Amino acid sequence: MAKRPPITNRVRELREAHDNMSQSALAKEIGVTRQTVIAIEQGRYSPSLESAFRISRVFGVGLEDVFGWDDTAEK
Amino acid sequence: MTFHEKSAWAMGILLILIGGWYVNTVWDISREMEMTAPPLLALAAVATVALIAGAVVSHIVIALVDPEAAEGDQDERDKQVLRRSGNIAGYFLGFGCFAGLWNYFWLQDGNMLFHIIVVSLIVSQIAEYALTIIFYRRGA
């Protein structure tokens, strides 16, 4: 199994808190495909810094409110 | 499943079938001739036309099933996956070319060199499609 990036995210949680925004709508907002949003939510893909900023701006929160670093994943 | 993953499935299956048929035919002819078959233009042409026709038909079907995905450009994840799978597949092609050159160096069989290069192209392309699918599913 490929090693997952040690980056956690709250994209799904924030999306649901945002009037249950659909994955497609978020994907459109940040300029990626719906499959990429799914991969981000599942932790299979770490977005570029630009997309990370776009996601945080869509939800009106800071970058670290969306993404975090999982210290346990590196041990 | 992304458009590119669907495309990789279609092209991978097509190439396994058509490439397998091509290699099997060359193998049979070589056995009948009891020597390495020369490059067969007609056979290569049939395989190429079949591959192009199959690619066109399969991509039309994929686009009809999900037109929105077919219209979109590659996003950052697509680019990362395709770049990585293409990069690794290049090693398969390089290894095959190297093996072909060494084979020619020792045996002086130009026909064999031709077939080794063609097989390397087929294998590296199949590897690229397989890796694309793996990276989409498991993460690049």
Side-chain angles (χ1 to χ4, degrees):
Chain A
M1 193 72 186
K3 195 178 174 189
R4 296 213 166 192
I7 296 170
T8 59
N9 73 78
R10 296 173 52 228
V11 173
R12 189 191 179 105
E13 187 186 329
L14 288 164
R15 190 170 53 74
E16 286 171 352
H18 238 78
D19 292 335
N20 228 357
M21 181 187 234
S22 70
Q23 290 169 329
S24 301
L26 178 61
K28 207 167 187 177
E29 289 272 351
I30 61 173
V32 298
T33 61
R34 188 175 71 87
Q35 286 80 11
T36 296
V37 170
I38 294 168
I40 292 169
E41 288 186 359
Q42 292 176 346
R44 287 188 289 119
Y45 175 69
S46 296
S48 66
L49 192 56
E50 184 183 335
S51 291
F53 269 108
R54 285 186 191 280
I55 291 169
S56 65
R57 287 173 70 88
V58 166
F59 297 130
V61 294
L63 203 57
E64 290 200 68
D65 295 318
V66 186
F67 297 96
W69 186 265
D70 183 7
D71 287 317
T72 58
E74 285 200 315
K75 289 171 186 169
Chain B
M1 203 187 288
T2 67
F3 175 79
H4 299 286
E5 189 181 342
K6 287 177 194 159
S7 169
W9 274 107
M11 291 307 295
I13 291 167
L14 263 175
L15 200 53
I16 287 169
L17 292 174
I18 295 169
W21 169 77
Y22 176 89
V23 171
N24 191 47
T25 307
V26 170
W27 180 263
D28 286 345
I29 292 170
S30 297
R31 279 181 63 183
E32 277 177 31
M33 292 173 70
E34 294 182 350
M35 60 179 280
T36 311
L40 302 158
L41 186 63
L43 185 66
V46 169
T48 305
V49 169
L51 193 61
I52 292 169
V56 169
V57 171
S58 62
H59 281 83
I60 288 172
V61 171
I62 293 168
L64 285 173
V65 170
D66 190 357
E68 201 177 318
E71 281 173 20
D73 291 332
Q74 292 175 0
D75 74 0
E76 59 180 50
R77 179 165 164 257
D78 296 324
K79 285 176 186 164
Q80 184 180 326
V81 166
L82 298 173
R83 189 170 54 234
R84 189 151 178 234
S85 57
N87 184 29
I88 296 172
Y91 290 108
F92 285 81
L93 181 60
F95 177 81
C97 290
F98 191 71
L101 290 171
W102 268 103
N103 184 277
Y104 183 76
F105 182 77
W106 291 108
L107 301 176
Q108 307 285 305
D109 185 348
N111 291 339
M112 182 66 87
L113 173 63
F114 178 86
H115 295 309
I116 290 174
I117 299 291
V118 170
V119 168
S120 302
L121 272 170
I122 294 170
V123 170
S124 74
Q125 206 55 54
I126 290 170
E128 183 170 347
Y129 295 135
L131 289 165
T132 297
I133 293 164
I134 290 168
F135 290 149
Y136 268 121
R137 294 187 165 239
R138 291 173 46 174

